[in-house]
Amino acid sequence: MSLPMRINFDEKDYTYIIITKGITKETGEIQINLNGMDYQLVCNPKGDWDVVDATINDNSGLLKAIGRNIKLRYRL
């Protein structure tokens, strides 16, 4: 398991863990764990990372911000 990563969103700190190993530019999906829930991020045609099967209760803005954070960190 990788180290926890932090993000600040709407003036709150969140910690998440990237479950997927060996992320490269060819990676098409990334698994993350946020607050004990597993989410799958997939790359859309625009190059942005979106959550698969997100519900209304999930904070979609936070999950999009995490996708952008991962994209910048790994230079995807």
Side-chain angles (χ1 to χ4, degrees), residues 40-64:
Q40 180 180 4
L41 302 174
V42 294
C43 188
N44 67 19
K46 294 180 183 178
D48 297 329
W49 290 86
D50 294 323
V51 178
V52 176
D53 298 333
T55 63
I56 295 172
N57 294 337
D58 296 332
N59 190 344
S60 62
L62 172 61
L63 294 169
K64 280 194 166 286

Side-chain angles (χ1 to χ4, degrees), residues 3-71:
L3 295 173
M5 298 180 68
R6 296 181 64 199
I7 189 168
N8 186 300
F9 183 76
D10 283 342
E11 300 181 14
K12 291 183 183 177
D13 288 327
Y14 296 92
T15 303
Y16 64 96
I17 297 171
I18 300 175
I19 299 171
T20 303
K21 302 290 183 197
I23 298 174
T24 65
K25 290 184 185 278
E26 287 79 32
T27 302
E29 61 183 46
I30 298 173
Q31 295 278 359
I32 64 167
N33 182 296
L34 174 67
N35 297 331
M37 296 286 297
D38 288 343
Y39 296 97
Q40 180 180 4
L41 302 174
V42 294
C43 188
N44 67 19
K46 294 180 183 178
D48 297 329
W49 290 86
D50 294 323
V51 178
V52 176
D53 298 333
T55 63
I56 295 172
N57 294 337
D58 296 332
N59 190 344
S60 62
L62 172 61
L63 294 169
K64 280 194 166 286
I66 290 173
R68 282 191 303 271
N69 190 16
I70 293 171
K71 180 179 177 180

